[in-house]
Amino acid sequence: MEARESESWVAGILMSDPRLRNQFSQVVFQRWKPRFAMMRVESVNPRWRRVLRRPRRSEAQTSHVVGDTLGWTVPSGGSAAYTTWASSQNFSVGDVLVFEYSTRAHDVAQVTKANFDSCSSANPISLATTGPTSIPVTSSGDHYFICTVGNHCSDGQKLAISVSTATTSSPSPSGTTTSPPPPPPPSSSAPSLVATATLPITILSIAAALLH
């Protein structure tokens, strides 16, 4: 089989079989990831652009309603209310903080630690005056927020959070083992056993040749 015919044959199989296409793209990306990082998709043979342009899975995001049912307001017990709430949350990059408050009654400013400690609204990192306000968490580390209206910050309307670098996955229960799902039954129109067993290797070999 000539190279052009082989290329058309492999591309046809990948386009018609989503499961095989997904497996193929994962293997190719893992093996050729450094090379893909330096090339533009437009420079790849058009037959393979649909495979290379598979969208990435976005990481799970969590929306945190600040204070839960309390919302963003002047707490009756002082700043301890928001300190307690923050300690019960797990913040990660990509999460969203939702400040629920009435416009003109409150605002939310992101500030430095020094301004947080002194309740100073000078040169805020950001300031939102229309509620509710959603603020995405874009970096790890400590982040500080206050209300700049009147003496609200001094009365306890202030929030400090600590953001981890990445989300942590929940560990599997001890003593349990997850078995892989059984392979699907062969189709009546499936190729022979030898052809099926050698198909991934053949596709990978042809793909490697095409990528050179």
Side-chain angles (χ1 to χ4, degrees):
M1 186 180 295
E2 296 182 359
R4 185 175 298 275
E5 293 178 353
S6 299
E7 183 178 340
S8 300
W9 177 71
V10 174
I13 292 178
L14 292 178
M15 293 305 104
S16 62
D17 190 335
R19 183 176 61 85
L20 182 59
R21 181 170 67 248
N22 290 339
Q23 293 176 349
F24 168 77
S25 60
Q26 291 173 7
V27 171
V28 171
F29 268 110
Q30 289 298 324
R31 184 168 181 178
W32 298 90
K33 188 175 181 180
R35 185 167 180 175
F36 286 147
M38 296 184 294
M39 67 165 51
R40 298 178 58 187
V41 173
E42 287 74 12
S43 66
V44 180
N45 189 305
R47 287 188 175 89
W48 304 103
R49 291 180 188 171
R50 289 177 60 185
V51 177
L52 296 180
R53 281 180 171 148
R54 289 176 62 235
R56 286 185 174 182
R57 295 181 180 178
S58 57
E59 295 184 357
Q61 296 180 348
T62 301
S63 293
H64 304 269
V65 178
V66 175
D68 290 332
T69 57
L70 175 64
W72 184 236
T73 187
V74 178
S76 58
S79 61
Y82 290 115
T83 301
T84 301
W85 174 82
S87 65
S88 68
Q89 306 293 310
N90 292 320
F91 302 103
S92 300
V93 174
D95 289 354
V96 178
L97 298 176
V98 180
F99 293 81
E100 294 186 344
Y101 61 94
S102 299
T103 302
R104 291 187 296 275
H106 304 284
D107 60 22
V108 53
Q110 184 172 2
V111 297
T112 62
K113 185 180 187 307
N115 286 356
F116 175 84
D117 292 338
S118 62
C119 283
S120 172
S121 60
N123 302 316
I125 298 172
S126 66
L127 175 64
T129 58
T130 303
T133 296
S134 296
I135 301 179
V137 178
T138 59
S139 61
S140 59
D142 296 329
H143 300 266
Y144 305 93
F145 305 90
I146 65 172
C147 178
T148 67
V149 175
N151 294 324
H152 292 188
C153 176
S154 300
D155 292 337
Q157 194 174 357
K158 56 195 301 187
L159 169 69
I161 66 171
S162 182
V163 181
S164 61
T165 303
T167 56
T168 56
S169 58
S170 300
S172 300
S174 58
T176 61
T177 303
T178 303
S179 301
S187 171
S188 58
S189 59
S192 65
L193 181 60
V194 175
T196 303
T198 58
L199 183 58
I201 300 177
T202 303
I203 291 176
L204 184 57
S205 301
I206 295 175
L210 293 175
L211 290 172
H212 278 294

